[in-house]
Amino acid sequence: MLEAGHCKPNVVTFNTLMKGFCMSGDNTAAIQLLGKMEEERGCEPNIVSFSTIIDSLCKDTLIDEAFNLFAEMISRGITPDVVTYTSLIHGVCKLGQWKQATRLLDEMLSKGIFPDVCTFNVLVDTFCKEGMVMEAKSVIQKMIQRHIQPDTITYNSLMDGYCLRGEMDKARQVFDVMISKGSMVDVQSCSILIHGYCKGKMLDKAYKIFKEMPRMELVPDTVTYSTLIDGLCKVGRIQEAEELFSEMQGCGQLPNVQTYAVILDGLCNNHQLSTAVELLTEMEARELELDIVIYNIVIEGLCKAGEIESARDLFCGLSSKGVQPNVRTHTVMIHGLCHHGFIVEAEKLLREMGGKGCSPNGWTYNTIIRGFINNNETSRATRLIQEMLERGFSADASTMELIVDLLSKDTVDPGLLALLKDSV
């Protein structure tokens, strides 16, 4: 279009292309296009041009760049609108900067720019995630005062805030308000409340909400099932969890990786290891895309059950499955080896970690140090303590307790006391 000159692009053309760049994650190209507009006579960037890029930058948490562009827009005499401010508020909220978000809200109000329900929802959600439910309620009051009615997203955020604080009676009250207002309750509303009840180990109440969903013409989704299955597993009701897992598939809701992780963890923690291994084998046979989280759960379960050989075989076969072990995998394996007296192999695994691109962290060092101490290898444990401190890690409470116990028995070098002081 530019080269031919027969059909000159206008601001709509540029804005459309700019949005395309932003949607594809190419903010740089979008900004360059903004500069290109200035070269075209009669095609000045407008509020849509700037707001499109500001929104994209905020979504990518490039807040400084977004504010720089915002300042440039103001300097050009372009007045920001509710979309511009909502994008900035969303951006700072993603970084947990709720004070900055409040300042932006006050600023837009002072300029006569009225926030919409999306703007308020961003603030409510941020306050609730920060545990500041009273502040979230205050924002909702401002909404209502400005004749902006809270929607399902608003109430879901508030309910989630109460659930995070363990205030389930208040969370249920919000849920009941939503029901009283008609069709405001959605599947996510039920999942949030179910998760709150499960977290508080109130499984009967969680199940009650689950059973009420068909009456509300709501179909439980994968998240709903996974949440309830996890809750059942955590209180030891593994048979009910397995039945719900089967029911889920019978209803056409396919389990995702998170669902499988939940049921595998429940099986391993409730002494159903053979069933867990069978399920893993079935998952592999179905060629599901399994990540390291799934294998970590089973490897840890095998180690805890004393099946160290099986755990070792599964660990060693990960690469052939196209899955790379991470720090947790190595640490779990090191713990299992130490627990069963294979301390030489455990240290060898520690030394191999760096070469595999997953250097040991503080948890890894504390795990192997405790393993050495429990296997009466105090001199080697002392050497590892020194190495751990040199790498910037410190002894945790469990390791400290073992070290203090050794010092009280005079079974280790008194020089360890200096190391102990350094790690506090």
Side-chain angles (χ1 to χ4, degrees), residues 4 21 26 70 95 130 140 155 168 185 187 320 355 409:
F21 280 130
D26 197 344
F70 179 73
L95 297 178
E130 292 288 330
I140 294 174
Y155 285 116
M168 293 310 301
V185 173
V187 175
S320 64
K409 295 176 181 177

Side-chain angles (χ1 to χ4, degrees), residues 18 46 73 82 96 171 198 205 268 279 296 317 340 381:
M18 200 177 295
N46 59 13
M73 182 181 76
V82 63
C198 287
K205 290 186 176 182
C268 289
L279 180 58
N296 284 348
H340 292 88

Side-chain angles (χ1 to χ4, degrees), residues 95-271:
L95 297 178
Q97 299 174 359
W98 58 267
K99 290 183 179 179
Q100 174 78 326
T102 305
R103 185 189 67 75
L104 285 167
L105 178 66
D106 293 338
E107 182 181 308
M108 66 186 293
L109 289 171
S110 69
K111 292 182 178 180
I113 303 169
F114 297 103
D116 58 15
V117 67
C118 294
T119 316
F120 282 113
N121 282 348
V122 169
L123 283 166
V124 171
D125 185 60
T126 299
F127 280 130
C128 288
K129 284 177 178 174
E130 292 288 330
M132 303 165 66
V133 181
M134 292 304 296
E135 288 80 357
K137 288 184 68 177
S138 176
V139 172
I140 294 174
Q141 288 300 318
K142 287 182 181 179
M143 289 177 69
I144 296 171
Q145 288 169 8
R146 294 184 175 276
H147 307 292
I148 299 173
Q149 288 303 312
D151 60 9
T152 299
I153 296 173
T154 320
Y155 285 116
N156 280 352
S157 294
L158 183 60
M159 184 165 54
D160 192 36
Y162 280 127
C163 287
L164 289 172
R165 291 166 60 92
E167 298 177 359
M168 293 310 301
D169 289 341
K170 293 181 179 179
R172 178 67 206 221
Q173 287 172 10
V174 175
F175 188 78
D176 291 339
V177 167
M178 294 173 73
I179 291 175
S180 69
K181 290 182 177 292
S183 58
M184 292 195 73
V185 173
D186 61 7
V187 175
Q188 186 180 6
S189 312
C190 296
S191 296
I192 289 170
L193 194 58
I194 288 171
H195 180 262
Y197 281 133
C198 287
K199 186 179 176 183
K201 297 184 178 181
M202 294 179 271
L203 268 297
D204 291 336
K205 290 186 176 182
Y207 237 129
K208 185 178 179 181
I209 298 295
F210 180 78
K211 295 295 184 184
E212 287 176 358
M213 290 180 71
R215 182 176 57 81
M216 294 183 279
E217 298 183 354
L218 297 173
V219 178
D221 61 10
T222 301
V223 174
T224 316
Y225 276 106
S226 299
T227 301
L228 190 52
I229 290 169
D230 187 43
L232 290 166
C233 288
K234 281 183 166 56
V235 296
R237 292 162 63 172
I238 191 64
Q239 184 175 346
E240 291 176 74
E242 289 184 84
E243 290 171 357
L244 193 60
F245 183 68
S246 298
E247 177 190 318
M248 171 185 181
Q249 296 173 83
C251 292
Q253 291 292 340
L254 296 177
N256 57 20
V257 174
Q258 179 61 33
T259 319
Y260 281 115
V262 162
I263 193 71
L264 282 171
D265 189 58
L267 290 167
C268 289
N269 289 329
N270 286 278
H271 313 294

Side-chain angles (χ1 to χ4, degrees), residues 333-357:
M333 199 67 226
I334 286 170
H335 179 268
L337 290 168
C338 287
H339 186 70
H340 292 88
F342 299 102
I343 55 174
V344 174
E345 189 176 345
E347 185 169 14
K348 180 184 177 184
L349 194 57
L350 176 76
R351 300 306 173 200
E352 291 175 350
M353 288 181 68
K356 294 179 179 179

Side-chain angles (χ1 to χ4, degrees), residues 260 264 267 273-288 290 294-295 298 302 314 321:
Y260 281 115
L264 282 171
L267 290 167
L273 191 59
S274 59
T275 307
V277 172
E278 287 175 11
L279 180 58
L280 178 63
T281 303
E282 178 187 325
M283 292 162 69
E284 290 177 332
R286 292 169 60 186
E287 298 185 351
L288 298 174
L290 307 182
I294 294 293
Y295 287 103
V298 180
L302 289 167
L314 185 57
K321 300 175 189 291

Side-chain angles (χ1 to χ4, degrees), residues 70-87:
F70 179 73
E72 182 183 335
M73 182 181 76
I74 300 294
S75 68
R76 288 169 175 262
I78 300 174
T79 304
D81 60 9
V82 63
V83 175
T84 321
Y85 272 106
T86 300
S87 295

